[in-house]
Amino acid sequence: MAAGSTYTPIATQTVSGTTTASVTFSSIPSTYTDLIIVANGSLTVADNSYIQFNGSGGTAYSGTVLKGDGSAASSNRYSNNDRIVTDYTSYPTTTVGAWNAVIHFINYANTTTYKTTLIRSNNAQNGTSSSAHLWLSTAAITSIALQTQGTPKWGNGTTFTLYGITAA
Amino acid sequence: MPNTMTLIQSVTVGAGGASSIDFTSIASTYTDILVKMSLRTDRSAIGDQIKFTVNGSTSTYSGIVLLGTGASVLSETSSAAGAGSGYLIGENMNAATSTASTFGNAEIYIPNYAGSTNKSMSWDIVAENNATTGYQAIEAGLWATTSAITSIKLQSANAANFVQYSTAYLYGISNS
């Protein structure tokens, strides 16, 4: 039996200009076991970024964050939210390339369980965080939107790459 | 053929130890790079810090670490003398007075390492120890330089040597 493949690239998006509020990967095939998005870049105004699945909001998202800002360690929670809060203290700033996030979507195509997302978010200018999130839906994830909110937009040159991870 | 993490270089420390582990002449043909390490030093302590530099550069590094020891948790800056300084520090790996035959593990993910923007990094580090004190940390790193990364040097931040059987592997990940 052939070994599963790791980091099989599915799609890459690179932001052009400074008016992009959301980057979406759509029509995601169900043929992998897990997904990973690697994000690297900036925002036009320093702020949190967010994630939403299948265009679905409501009150279906919750999460727990462990974070450090260079002087203090702390933890946050949110629940009944309309999207995943990706960063907290380690949010993107305006410095190009300073922020990165490695985002794991576990068992994303399963249609019997709720969906878990694990995020490592990093910005040496403001913090580092490790977080776990839950989407209260048994639907397979077929689209992932990486979003800003309000005035901030994704910075020019910000990259997002979607990879597939296969168990076998 | 689907892409996988491609092994670029590997280093295994032999008898006699080594003062550094070096990855050189790193090709620019991948999108991201990933360093996976299993390290122990001969420093007379439970733990030792990883000193991390790229391209022989001694400036523009900055970092923030979140560290747990089993008794406390803290967050601090991880570069020597603060932002813009001479190297990044990874906290911690196993050293001479930690549990025998136990090596710390670390992983550094560097997206867009060959691109023309500043180089940010994601670190995960553990140094387990069958005693009161162990270490687990996550870290955000930055080399605020737009040059491509072509070499990586790992050292002890306390001038110790890596012991035999320490290993480090450099992988390339491509987005197409």
Side-chain angles (χ1 to χ4, degrees):
Chain A
M1 176 180 292
S5 296
T6 61
Y7 285 91
T8 301
I10 301 172
T12 294
Q13 299 199 44
T14 302
V15 174
S16 178
T18 56
T19 60
T20 301
S22 180
V23 172
T24 301
F25 293 98
S26 56
S27 301
I28 298 172
S30 63
T31 49
Y32 302 96
T33 307
D34 306 322
L35 300 173
I36 290 178
I37 287 178
V38 177
N40 180 215
S42 62
L43 287 179
T44 58
V45 178
D47 198 6
N48 273 318
S49 63
Y50 305 87
I51 298 171
Q52 202 172 61
F53 301 123
N54 298 4
S56 174
T59 58
Y61 299 85
S62 61
T64 304
V65 180
L66 178 62
K67 55 193 174 66
D69 64 3
S71 59
S74 60
S75 182
N76 278 96
R77 263 197 61 77
Y78 68 93
S79 58
N80 299 308
N81 211 39
D82 64 349
R83 65 197 75 194
I84 286 174
V85 182
T86 307
D87 312 291
Y88 278 90
T89 191
S90 51
Y91 49 84
T93 51
T94 58
T95 302
V96 177
W99 169 78
N100 71 75
V102 182
I103 309 164
H104 294 248
F105 307 93
I106 311 300
N107 225 358
Y108 73 102
N110 187 297
T111 55
T112 59
T113 64
Y114 293 155
K115 304 302 180 291
T116 300
T117 301
L118 305 177
I119 301 176
R120 282 280 289 110
S121 174
N122 304 281
N123 191 329
Q125 297 181 320
N126 53 28
T128 183
S129 67
S130 178
S131 58
H133 310 262
L134 182 67
W135 181 43
L136 291 171
S137 173
T138 57
I141 294 173
T142 57
S143 74
I144 300 171
L146 300 116
Q147 303 172 329
T148 65
Q149 188 167 341
T151 300
K153 302 293 182 289
W154 289 115
N156 183 53
T158 298
T159 62
F160 302 91
T161 301
L162 175 66
Y163 297 94
I165 308 294
T166 305
Chain B
M1 174 74 70
N3 290 310
T4 65
M5 290 165 50
T6 302
L7 181 65
I8 301 172
Q9 297 177 32
S10 66
V11 175
T12 300
V13 175
S19 61
S20 70
I21 291 174
D22 295 85
F23 297 112
T24 60
S25 302
I26 300 172
S28 62
T29 49
Y30 302 96
T31 307
D32 306 333
I33 51 176
L34 173 64
V35 184
K36 286 184 174 283
M37 298 160 275
S38 176
L39 303 172
R40 185 180 177 100
T41 78
D42 60 7
R43 182 192 187 207
S44 183
I46 294 173
D48 198 354
Q49 292 83 31
I50 303 168
K51 177 181 177 181
F52 175 92
T53 54
V54 297
N55 293 16
S57 173
T58 57
S59 64
T60 72
Y61 298 97
S62 57
I64 292 175
V65 66
L66 175 63
L67 173 68
T69 67
S72 63
V73 60
L74 58 89
S75 182
E76 59 188 12
T77 57
S78 65
S79 52
S85 60
Y87 52 89
L88 273 177
I89 292 175
E91 305 188 50
N92 284 315
M93 53 188 159
N94 286 73
T97 62
S98 67
T99 303
S101 305
T102 304
F103 288 63
N105 296 303
E107 177 176 303
I108 309 170
Y109 196 101
I110 308 176
N112 295 320
Y113 73 102
S116 58
T117 62
N118 296 308
K119 305 303 182 292
S120 67
M121 307 166 204
S122 179
W123 290 60
D124 290 84
I125 313 163
V126 298
E128 189 41 65
N129 181 40
N130 190 22
T132 304
T133 301
Y135 301 99
Q136 183 178 9
I138 60 173
E139 181 171 331
L142 180 68
W143 184 49
T145 305
T146 57
S147 303
I149 291 176
T150 57
S151 67
I152 294 172
K153 180 183 284 289
L154 306 169
Q155 299 168 281
S156 159
N158 297 285
N161 291 316
F162 297 115
V163 303
Q164 186 180 21
Y165 308 121
S166 293
T167 60
Y169 300 92
L170 176 67
Y171 295 91
I173 297 166
S174 299
N175 69 355
S176 64

